[in-house]
Amino acid sequence: MKSAILPALAGILAATPALAQPETTAGSIRQVATANRAATFRPAPSGFIGGAQVYPWSEGTIYIAYTAPGLVTDIVLQPGESLIAVASGDTARWMIGDTTSGSGETKQTHLLVKPFSGGLVTNLVVTTDRRTYHVRLVSTSATALSSMRWTYPQDELLALRRKADAERAAAPVATGLSVETLHFNYAISGDKPAWRPLRAFDDGQRTYVEFPASLASSEVPPLFLVDREGKAELVNYRLSGRFYIVDRIFDAAELRLGLKKQQIVRIDRTAPSAKRRGA
């Protein structure tokens, strides 16, 4: 039985084409190396706060951590971030552990890294409940980062937007304004920057200029009153949430931002307010 099966199996294998192997070329290797170099962030003098290197986090970026034998480098994650797994390309010549500090919302995970000798290079992949970190570990003979951590621009922007939304809900309703006292007879014209006001209105004593939520993440334009001769004068106002509040009624004003290519948005009162007509 076996003597019949083996020749048949040998014939089948001989007739089956070999599985294609991925072709490795010098060009493809160079492309990978070039992509890795372009994605790598190295410590910079402007990135230090005390002895800690602070990197801006972004997806797919590789962060360099310089280490040294006999010294521990502390890699600090975001407060409240939970560690899922840590993987390294070389666990035989590197000591890698983790611990935590703080509690509750301020609790932070610390990855503690120490090489056994200088001249070593490996990578570290850290997965958490929020993101994945890619770190390249480089050991030198004597110099090491005491610690490294990140800032999170997207999280900070989201916090600003949430704050702006909360302020929008609180103002100017919190000032006790009544819809019956408001006059919306204002026209907005001119350029259309991201901060262009949504509307302007007054309550007979004060003028309110309402901006979009993007005002929280952009430069704030100053407000000028414009007289009938076209002369502009900076006016006192205060910022409440995303509203400018001016303690007077005006006929015309302009928001101006920039120097060489100035953006100008004009606000005109199209009719006298009811209270001013009765004054």
Side-chain angles (χ1 to χ4, degrees):
M1 184 71 174
K2 289 183 180 179
S3 60
I5 293 176
L6 291 177
L9 181 60
I12 294 173
L13 293 176
T16 303
L19 294 176
Q21 297 296 319
E23 184 179 358
T24 302
T25 65
S28 62
I29 293 174
R30 284 195 298 270
Q31 290 173 1
V32 172
T34 299
N36 286 342
R37 283 195 300 270
T40 299
F41 265 33
R42 292 172 172 78
S46 60
F48 280 95
I49 298 179
Q53 173 67 203
V54 182
Y55 290 112
W57 186 87
S58 63
E59 184 70 37
T61 300
I62 303 170
Y63 303 94
I64 294 286
Y66 290 112
T67 64
L71 300 173
V72 174
T73 295
D74 181 13
I75 301 176
V76 189
L77 305 186
Q78 187 180 29
E81 189 171 19
S82 298
L83 181 65
I84 295 177
V86 179
S88 175
D90 183 356
T91 57
R93 296 180 294 176
W94 294 79
M95 182 179 295
I96 302 170
D98 64 90
T99 186
T100 60
S101 65
S103 61
E105 294 182 355
T106 63
K107 185 177 180 179
Q108 286 184 277
T109 296
H110 300 254
L111 300 177
L112 307 178
V113 180
K114 183 175 71 172
F116 290 148
S117 63
L120 302 178
V121 177
T122 190
N123 71 317
L124 195 65
V125 179
V126 182
T127 56
T128 75
D129 61 340
R130 298 179 181 175
R131 55 185 63 88
T132 300
Y133 299 86
H134 296 271
V135 180
R136 187 182 185 197
L137 300 176
V138 179
S139 68
T140 70
S141 58
T143 302
L145 291 174
S146 61
S147 66
M148 59 179 278
R149 56 186 174 86
W150 289 265
T151 58
Y152 304 89
Q154 292 182 343
D155 289 11
E156 293 164 5
L157 179 58
L158 181 60
L160 284 174
R161 288 175 177 171
R162 287 174 177 170
K163 181 180 178 182
D165 290 342
E167 290 175 341
R168 176 188 178 187
V173 175
T175 62
L177 292 177
S178 172
V179 175
E180 290 77 13
T181 66
L182 302 182
H183 311 99
F184 292 89
N185 49 313
Y186 290 83
I188 297 176
S189 60
D191 295 328
K192 297 182 179 180
W195 48 260
R196 180 184 170 108
L198 301 176
R199 64 183 60 86
F201 56 92
D202 71 74
D203 61 359
Q205 296 180 334
R206 300 178 183 85
T207 303
Y208 301 84
V209 181
E210 182 182 0
F211 291 88
S214 59
L215 184 71
S217 58
S218 64
E219 191 174 355
V220 178
L223 181 67
F224 297 84
L225 295 189
V226 181
D227 61 20
R228 294 182 178 179
E229 285 73 33
K231 295 181 180 178
E233 176 185 359
L234 190 63
V235 64
N236 291 328
Y237 59 90
R238 59 186 180 276
L239 178 64
S240 177
R242 55 193 187 93
F243 290 84
Y244 280 6
I245 302 177
V246 185
D247 290 321
R248 58 178 292 183
I249 307 297
F250 58 75
D251 291 324
E254 289 181 350
L255 293 155
R256 301 178 180 180
L257 187 61
L259 296 174
K260 292 183 178 180
K261 298 181 67 175
Q262 193 174 55
Q263 295 174 313
I264 301 176
V265 176
R266 186 176 176 92
I267 303 171
D268 290 288
R269 187 162 58 90
T270 58
S273 67
K275 289 196 174 185
R276 286 183 63 87
R277 285 197 301 265

